[in-house]
Amino acid sequence: MTHALETRNLSKRFGSLVATNDVSLSVAKGARHALIGPNGAGKTTLINLLTGVLTPSSGQILLEGEDITATPAHHRVGRGLSRTFQINQLFADFTPLEALMLAIGEREGQGSMAWKPLSKNHAIIDEAASLLDRFRLTDALSTPTKLLPYGKQRLLEIALAIAARPRVLLLDEPAAGVPEEERHEVLGIVRALPADVTVVLIEHDMDLVFSFADRISVLVAGGLFKEGTVEEISHDPQVKAIYLGEDA
């Protein structure tokens, strides 16, 4: 069986600090897979390794069975691996429409073209409009990103990741920092992501994790501590003691 994403004995050391410790992880195609663990467990470091932001000290990373351990980050995106960040990485002065058109144009090999030719490409405009509608951003399509409510910015970042047409999408705490009144919109969009896109989610909100994931991996001190279904993880006494709390 070819997995969507796989690591084999993956480790990352910063001097004497072992941030990722011999992690072997398999994510099935089409899965909704959550990574949880206490602060400092190595979740974001693992995502940075998977996406090529960091280079592993040892081990392998496979995307749909192909070794991408040494593949540059931008080439991984081209091969179907996209991500969002714990802290938004957006163009503050772009509108959502402009940002999505640029992302779609880049995917189509037109990212270096001037705005005028892009603005005349009806296929790009139509796709950007469709994404704006799907991510409930139509009412803000001409608003500079820096002026959007934070929940809308999170939605835009997910929309930009989807614009790359990924087969594997890594979401690093998509609801982090979002005010309570905007969280439901973000969580609804996350749950409605296309079924043919494999999603790996890092999240501290257990309500989101348990309603979203079909499989959960627990990281502790950089290593893979437990893995199982939502039912298995939510009732595991060791996970409760280490992460969820004794009374969870």
Side-chain angles (χ1 to χ4, degrees), residues 29-34 82-84 100 130-137 154-175 184-203 208 211-214:
K29 288 186 176 182
R32 297 297 187 256
H33 198 119
S82 290
R83 72 170 294 180
T84 64
L100 285 167
S130 177
L131 285 168
L132 287 167
D133 181 60
R134 187 199 302 183
F135 287 87
R136 303 174 195 172
L137 292 165
R154 298 302 277 186
L155 288 173
L156 176 57
E157 186 170 29
I158 300 171
L160 288 168
I162 290 294
R165 292 184 181 170
R167 294 187 299 280
V168 179
L169 176 63
L170 310 177
L171 298 175
D172 194 350
E173 297 193 41
H184 295 293
E185 185 174 31
V186 174
L187 303 190
I189 291 292
V190 169
R191 292 190 189 101
L193 287 171
D196 60 345
V197 177
T198 301
V199 181
V200 179
L201 172 78
I202 291 179
E203 186 53 64
L208 172 57
S211 66
F212 179 81
D214 48 45

Side-chain angles (χ1 to χ4, degrees), residues 61-235:
I61 303 166
L62 290 87
L63 179 64
E64 297 182 328
E66 295 188 20
D67 192 330
I68 60 166
T69 311
T71 302
H74 63 288
H75 287 166
R76 297 186 197 198
V77 175
R79 292 173 68 169
L81 180 64
S82 290
R83 72 170 294 180
T84 64
F85 292 82
Q86 203 172 73
I87 300 173
N88 282 340
Q89 305 289 311
L90 299 169
F91 295 106
D93 293 323
F94 280 26
T95 67
L97 178 60
E98 290 170 338
L100 285 167
M101 287 177 61
L102 183 62
I104 296 165
E106 180 65 28
R107 186 197 72 214
E108 296 299 317
Q110 302 179 45
S112 61
M113 293 178 65
W115 279 110
K116 187 174 181 180
L118 272 181
S119 68
K120 292 183 177 180
N121 188 315
H122 295 294
I124 289 178
I125 294 171
D126 289 346
E127 185 175 344
S130 177
L131 285 168
L132 287 167
D133 181 60
R134 187 199 302 183
F135 287 87
R136 303 174 195 172
L137 292 165
T138 303
D139 59 346
L141 83 167
S142 298
T143 303
T145 295
K146 63 187 176 186
L147 301 180
L148 295 178
Y150 193 67
K152 294 288 188 184
Q153 293 183 24
R154 298 302 277 186
L155 288 173
L156 176 57
E157 186 170 29
I158 300 171
L160 288 168
I162 290 294
R165 292 184 181 170
R167 294 187 299 280
V168 179
L169 176 63
L170 310 177
L171 298 175
D172 194 350
E173 297 193 41
V178 178
E180 185 62 34
E181 61 272 17
E182 298 173 37
R183 288 176 68 85
H184 295 293
E185 185 174 31
V186 174
L187 303 190
I189 291 292
V190 169
R191 292 190 189 101
L193 287 171
D196 60 345
V197 177
T198 301
V199 181
V200 179
L201 172 78
I202 291 179
E203 186 53 64
H204 285 290
D205 185 326
M206 289 298 99
D207 289 336
L208 172 57
V209 169
F210 291 154
S211 66
F212 179 81
D214 48 45
R215 194 158 187 85
I216 299 175
S217 297
V218 185
L219 295 179
V220 176
L224 185 60
F225 178 69
K226 292 276 184 176
E227 189 170 89
T229 64
V230 170
E231 183 74 11
E232 290 167 341
I233 295 299
S234 63
H235 291 93

